[in-house]
Amino acid sequence: MSKLEKILYGNRLKPILFLVGLILILPLVVKSPYIFTILILIGIYSIVSLGLCLLIGYAGQISLGHAAFFGIGAYTSGVLTTSFELSPWIALTIGMVTTFFIAYIIGIPILKLKGHFLALATLGINIIFYILILGLNQLTGGAAGLIGIPSLSLFGVPLTDKLFFYFFVWTAAVLVLLLSLNIVRSHVGRVLRSIHDSEIATETLGVKVENYKVAIFALSAAFASLAGSMYAHYITFVAPPTFYITKSILFLIMVMVGGASSVWGAILGTTVIMFLNEIIRFVGHTYFGISGEVEIVVYGLIIILIMMFLPKGLIHVISKPIQKIKPKKKVSVKAHKDMISQKGV
Amino acid sequence: MKKFWKSICSFSLMLILVIALSACNTETSSSNDKNDGDGDKEVIKIGAIFAETGPASTLGKTQANYVKLIQQQLDEEGSINGKKIEIIMQDYETDDTKAVIAADKLISEGVVAVVGATQASTSMAILPKISSEGIPLMTVAPVNPEAKDIYQMAPSNLTNANLIIEFLKENNISKVAWINARDGFGVEGLPSFEKVAKENDIKIVAHEEFDATATDMTVQLTNIRKENPEAVIVWSRTPGAGIVARNFKALGFDIPMIQSSASANKGFLDQVKDNNENIYVIGSKLSVVDQLPNGEQKDRLEKFREDYRAMFNSDPDNFTAHAADGFHLLIEAIKAGNTTSEDIHNYLKTEVNKYSGLTGSFELQSDYVGPYEDGFSVLGIENNEWKYYE
């Protein structure tokens, strides 16, 4: 069985060990708080991307409203800790549970929609949330934002230190990654891929497609909420513009650039987009004396090029040469093809 | 062909990663230098975080420009006590998260103080990071009065409110309507105004809000008209501020409209072109420098404007002046021999008794937030130029 899994999905232990190794080694090389902040934000955004990847890449359902779920987590943590003086950990948990149920209830009607209509409906969720946080200013601080959100502390160790927060965020990201990998490799993952390919065909097999779609939507929303809470406790300030549609689009770009059909692609895409932004700024300022709008144009151009020539995402470019290096398995081509067909890809 | 493009993309990706690593190394070495204490000894770094791009660039662009001007002036002046001052500018693109990243970048670079951010909410977003490092923050936007470890260069909402009350009393107005943008600056104004309005028996008969990115406010103004106010007060930055003024004229209001200091820029004048009767703005005296009586304040403002004009062929506004005041205070502290964040903090808190800035006089050791009212006035508009009423 494990051999079959390896052929179907590839080895997951080695990439995980590589990622964990990289997470452990990076603090030895990086000393700058600036790079640490970027690494922490990559960790936070990766959690959102992983959820989106399950939803878009596997279940085939688009979402342009994940910034709202990210915001629900951030604001639940922010409001409960500042106004009600609740422990940040309890606030974070309440945020995740609340977001899961909100997304579940919203998901039941909107996931009946398909394609552009679904995208617009999720966009609507984001707009409604944005207006709510602006309007409920007694609770959320309105447009001025919510100040004084406390930092997290773990077993008495305050996570105000960037190094500790970095390890905390990436531990959470790896756990979310493991959970996502397990989902992808389970029968749920196969059903999701099947839904992606043909909802009608999946339904004819007796699968309640709606339940799976709603459940994965709610789970990806809960991931976004977890990331949002971490963001709020790291930055210690939240304001509505952070949770506007543009953020949802950024999350979507991260997933698409990395490769929506792979959970590893989500992490890769997030990393590339985050660094790309900073690199363009660094190169532009240092060597060409450009800034502002020109940076945005270059950034957009690179994304367009990636989407044009690498529609399967950057992960496809990286994984292909690695697969070529690997020694050929003693499996006949026919048997391999048969097994691949079971993956539903 | 497909393979060719894939190779190109792979190569580009590799190149990006190499540059990323080199960028990482640059940051790391800069940080190490700071720790060793010998690499940066001859250079004192000041950070600047402005919205050079994005929606708030209407305010932040001239501030970012000013960084180039003051850097040139510092370079021409040569070293101060054997040390060179370098200003590191970061554009946060009107995005709070990017501002926080920029703050961390400046901390990595070893800055001794930071000037910014352009917006009030962004200043609050970067404050925890900056103050936890003991770095003085010279904010150029009116922030929450409870914020600590901050030196506010922009006039507070209370200062703005006092100027409006003075104008209302002079014109025998006791019934006003209030309309603000639903953003960080917009929502902070009303509580201060309500406080002074109550003390001066001025009644607020209507309160309306509009989205900061809205392009039409006729609904809100129609609601205001039902209450028959004697003046309308607007709390918003451009472009919203200009749109509400245009709608106001289009609806045929014949009462005064008074706008906050966030509208005192060229962008606003261009927006209300030919529709500017009865429109007043709380503006810096910098905007009307030619109409000011001769004196030390006029000379100071004139020199600032001419320097800016010579480099950019356009005029600075009060937002530029806020940034300039922040930089000048820091440079003064450095000239007095204070080269660390702690020393600059001490100098600003204990030594600066009365500082005459471009936007008014400051008393940094008192609890008074921002400059006094002496740098501002309620301005009118005449022939598409600001009109000063003494």
Side-chain angles (χ1 to χ4, degrees), chain B residues 245-260:
Chain B
R246 289 176 73 94
N247 293 159
F248 179 79
K249 295 309 279 185
L251 288 172
F253 276 88
D254 57 357
I255 53 173
M257 167 179 266
I258 308 143
Q259 295 242 1
S260 75

PDB file of all heavy atoms in Angstrom, chain B residues 245-260:
ATOM      1  N   ALA B 245     -16.631  68.629  -2.203  1.00  0.00           N
ATOM      2  CA  ALA B 245     -16.738  70.078  -2.468  1.00  0.00           C
ATOM      3  C   ALA B 245     -17.442  70.341  -3.801  1.00  0.00           C
ATOM      4  O   ALA B 245     -18.264  71.245  -3.913  1.00  0.00           O
ATOM      5  CB  ALA B 245     -15.347  70.701  -2.475  1.00  0.00           C
ATOM      6  N   ARG B 246     -17.140  69.541  -4.796  1.00  0.00           N
ATOM      7  CA  ARG B 246     -17.775  69.709  -6.117  1.00  0.00           C
ATOM      8  C   ARG B 246     -19.276  69.396  -6.039  1.00  0.00           C
ATOM      9  O   ARG B 246     -20.107  70.110  -6.594  1.00  0.00           O
ATOM     10  CB  ARG B 246     -17.107  68.785  -7.141  1.00  0.00           C
ATOM     11  CG  ARG B 246     -15.698  69.243  -7.508  1.00  0.00           C
ATOM     12  CD  ARG B 246     -15.054  68.257  -8.444  1.00  0.00           C
ATOM     13  NE  ARG B 246     -15.639  68.359  -9.774  1.00  0.00           N
ATOM     14  CZ  ARG B 246     -15.132  69.107 -10.755  1.00  0.00           C
ATOM     15  NH1 ARG B 246     -14.027  69.790 -10.532  1.00  0.00           N
ATOM     16  NH2 ARG B 246     -15.697  69.160 -11.926  1.00  0.00           N
ATOM     17  N   ASN B 247     -19.598  68.304  -5.306  1.00  0.00           N
ATOM     18  CA  ASN B 247     -21.013  67.938  -5.118  1.00  0.00           C
ATOM     19  C   ASN B 247     -21.759  69.059  -4.381  1.00  0.00           C
ATOM     20  O   ASN B 247     -22.902  69.374  -4.684  1.00  0.00           O
ATOM     21  CB  ASN B 247     -21.143  66.643  -4.302  1.00  0.00           C
ATOM     22  CG  ASN B 247     -20.632  65.414  -5.027  1.00  0.00           C
ATOM     23  OD1 ASN B 247     -20.320  64.413  -4.411  1.00  0.00           O
ATOM     24  ND2 ASN B 247     -20.540  65.483  -6.343  1.00  0.00           N
ATOM     25  N   PHE B 248     -21.095  69.653  -3.421  1.00  0.00           N
ATOM     26  CA  PHE B 248     -21.641  70.735  -2.588  1.00  0.00           C
ATOM     27  C   PHE B 248     -22.060  71.917  -3.481  1.00  0.00           C
ATOM     28  O   PHE B 248     -23.139  72.470  -3.347  1.00  0.00           O
ATOM     29  CB  PHE B 248     -20.532  71.124  -1.598  1.00  0.00           C
ATOM     30  CG  PHE B 248     -20.844  72.229  -0.647  1.00  0.00           C
ATOM     31  CD1 PHE B 248     -21.603  72.005   0.490  1.00  0.00           C
ATOM     32  CD2 PHE B 248     -20.331  73.512  -0.849  1.00  0.00           C
ATOM     33  CE1 PHE B 248     -21.849  73.020   1.396  1.00  0.00           C
ATOM     34  CE2 PHE B 248     -20.579  74.535   0.040  1.00  0.00           C
ATOM     35  CZ  PHE B 248     -21.341  74.290   1.168  1.00  0.00           C
ATOM     36  N   LYS B 249     -21.171  72.259  -4.424  1.00  0.00           N
ATOM     37  CA  LYS B 249     -21.472  73.365  -5.333  1.00  0.00           C
ATOM     38  C   LYS B 249     -22.574  72.965  -6.322  1.00  0.00           C
ATOM     39  O   LYS B 249     -23.456  73.760  -6.638  1.00  0.00           O
ATOM     40  CB  LYS B 249     -20.211  73.792  -6.095  1.00  0.00           C
ATOM     41  CG  LYS B 249     -19.122  74.370  -5.227  1.00  0.00           C
ATOM     42  CD  LYS B 249     -19.540  75.468  -4.308  1.00  0.00           C
ATOM     43  CE  LYS B 249     -19.641  76.818  -4.953  1.00  0.00           C
ATOM     44  NZ  LYS B 249     -19.952  77.868  -3.962  1.00  0.00           N
ATOM     45  N   ALA B 250     -22.497  71.723  -6.781  1.00  0.00           N
ATOM     46  CA  ALA B 250     -23.489  71.259  -7.764  1.00  0.00           C
ATOM     47  C   ALA B 250     -24.898  71.255  -7.162  1.00  0.00           C
ATOM     48  O   ALA B 250     -25.878  71.500  -7.868  1.00  0.00           O
ATOM     49  CB  ALA B 250     -23.119  69.866  -8.242  1.00  0.00           C
ATOM     50  N   LEU B 251     -24.998  70.998  -5.877  1.00  0.00           N
ATOM     51  CA  LEU B 251     -26.308  70.973  -5.220  1.00  0.00           C
ATOM     52  C   LEU B 251     -26.781  72.380  -4.842  1.00  0.00           C
ATOM     53  O   LEU B 251     -27.872  72.542  -4.282  1.00  0.00           O
ATOM     54  CB  LEU B 251     -26.258  70.082  -3.972  1.00  0.00           C
ATOM     55  CG  LEU B 251     -26.157  68.575  -4.233  1.00  0.00           C
ATOM     56  CD1 LEU B 251     -25.915  67.824  -2.928  1.00  0.00           C
ATOM     57  CD2 LEU B 251     -27.428  68.045  -4.887  1.00  0.00           C
ATOM     58  N   GLY B 252     -25.965  73.383  -5.092  1.00  0.00           N
ATOM     59  CA  GLY B 252     -26.375  74.780  -4.887  1.00  0.00           C
ATOM     60  C   GLY B 252     -26.347  75.254  -3.452  1.00  0.00           C
ATOM     61  O   GLY B 252     -27.089  76.171  -3.087  1.00  0.00           O
ATOM     62  N   PHE B 253     -25.535  74.687  -2.614  1.00  0.00           N
ATOM     63  CA  PHE B 253     -25.398  75.169  -1.235  1.00  0.00           C
ATOM     64  C   PHE B 253     -24.825  76.592  -1.262  1.00  0.00           C
ATOM     65  O   PHE B 253     -23.905  76.876  -2.037  1.00  0.00           O
ATOM     66  CB  PHE B 253     -24.416  74.277  -0.463  1.00  0.00           C
ATOM     67  CG  PHE B 253     -25.024  73.022   0.110  1.00  0.00           C
ATOM     68  CD1 PHE B 253     -25.085  71.866  -0.642  1.00  0.00           C
ATOM     69  CD2 PHE B 253     -25.515  72.993   1.409  1.00  0.00           C
ATOM     70  CE1 PHE B 253     -25.624  70.695  -0.119  1.00  0.00           C
ATOM     71  CE2 PHE B 253     -26.057  71.837   1.935  1.00  0.00           C
ATOM     72  CZ  PHE B 253     -26.115  70.686   1.171  1.00  0.00           C
ATOM     73  N   ASP B 254     -25.370  77.501  -0.446  1.00  0.00           N
ATOM     74  CA  ASP B 254     -24.784  78.843  -0.403  1.00  0.00           C
ATOM     75  C   ASP B 254     -24.272  79.182   0.991  1.00  0.00           C
ATOM     76  O   ASP B 254     -24.247  80.328   1.408  1.00  0.00           O
ATOM     77  CB  ASP B 254     -25.788  79.894  -0.898  1.00  0.00           C
ATOM     78  CG  ASP B 254     -27.073  79.843  -0.092  1.00  0.00           C
ATOM     79  OD1 ASP B 254     -27.171  78.970   0.792  1.00  0.00           O
ATOM     80  OD2 ASP B 254     -27.964  80.669  -0.329  1.00  0.00           O
ATOM     81  N   ILE B 255     -23.889  78.144   1.716  1.00  0.00           N
ATOM     82  CA  ILE B 255     -23.306  78.346   3.060  1.00  0.00           C
ATOM     83  C   ILE B 255     -21.822  77.982   2.999  1.00  0.00           C
ATOM     84  O   ILE B 255     -21.398  77.313   2.051  1.00  0.00           O
ATOM     85  CB  ILE B 255     -24.048  77.468   4.113  1.00  0.00           C
ATOM     86  CG1 ILE B 255     -24.088  75.988   3.650  1.00  0.00           C
ATOM     87  CG2 ILE B 255     -25.429  78.005   4.405  1.00  0.00           C
ATOM     88  CD1 ILE B 255     -24.631  75.021   4.677  1.00  0.00           C
ATOM     89  N   PRO B 256     -21.020  78.402   3.979  1.00  0.00           N
ATOM     90  CA  PRO B 256     -19.592  78.054   3.924  1.00  0.00           C
ATOM     91  C   PRO B 256     -19.335  76.559   4.151  1.00  0.00           C
ATOM     92  O   PRO B 256     -20.078  75.905   4.887  1.00  0.00           O
ATOM     93  CB  PRO B 256     -18.977  78.865   5.070  1.00  0.00           C
ATOM     94  CG  PRO B 256     -20.025  79.758   5.578  1.00  0.00           C
ATOM     95  CD  PRO B 256     -21.339  79.243   5.142  1.00  0.00           C
ATOM     96  N   MET B 257     -18.319  76.066   3.469  1.00  0.00           N
ATOM     97  CA  MET B 257     -17.846  74.697   3.711  1.00  0.00           C
ATOM     98  C   MET B 257     -16.408  74.830   4.228  1.00  0.00           C
ATOM     99  O   MET B 257     -15.585  75.495   3.595  1.00  0.00           O
ATOM    100  CB  MET B 257     -17.862  73.877   2.426  1.00  0.00           C
ATOM    101  CG  MET B 257     -17.100  72.571   2.551  1.00  0.00           C
ATOM    102  SD  MET B 257     -17.137  71.585   1.042  1.00  0.00           S
ATOM    103  CE  MET B 257     -18.530  70.532   1.359  1.00  0.00           C
ATOM    104  N   ILE B 258     -16.138  74.206   5.370  1.00  0.00           N
ATOM    105  CA  ILE B 258     -14.778  74.293   5.933  1.00  0.00           C
ATOM    106  C   ILE B 258     -14.157  72.900   5.907  1.00  0.00           C
ATOM    107  O   ILE B 258     -14.746  71.945   6.423  1.00  0.00           O
ATOM    108  CB  ILE B 258     -14.816  74.847   7.382  1.00  0.00           C
ATOM    109  CG1 ILE B 258     -15.621  76.151   7.410  1.00  0.00           C
ATOM    110  CG2 ILE B 258     -13.400  75.075   7.910  1.00  0.00           C
ATOM    111  CD1 ILE B 258     -16.438  76.311   8.642  1.00  0.00           C
ATOM    112  N   GLN B 259     -13.004  72.828   5.297  1.00  0.00           N
ATOM    113  CA  GLN B 259     -12.329  71.524   5.165  1.00  0.00           C
ATOM    114  C   GLN B 259     -11.117  71.461   6.098  1.00  0.00           C
ATOM    115  O   GLN B 259     -10.539  72.485   6.455  1.00  0.00           O
ATOM    116  CB  GLN B 259     -11.881  71.339   3.721  1.00  0.00           C
ATOM    117  CG  GLN B 259     -13.036  71.259   2.743  1.00  0.00           C
ATOM    118  CD  GLN B 259     -13.103  69.940   2.006  1.00  0.00           C
ATOM    119  OE1 GLN B 259     -12.304  69.037   2.217  1.00  0.00           O
ATOM    120  NE2 GLN B 259     -14.074  69.802   1.116  1.00  0.00           N
ATOM    121  N   SER B 260     -10.733  70.246   6.413  1.00  0.00           N
ATOM    122  CA  SER B 260      -9.598  70.032   7.326  1.00  0.00           C
ATOM    123  C   SER B 260      -8.269  70.327   6.635  1.00  0.00           C
ATOM    124  O   SER B 260      -8.215  70.557   5.429  1.00  0.00           O
ATOM    125  CB  SER B 260      -9.585  68.584   7.789  1.00  0.00           C
ATOM    126  OG  SER B 260      -9.111  67.775   6.740  1.00  0.00           O
TER     127      SER B 260
END
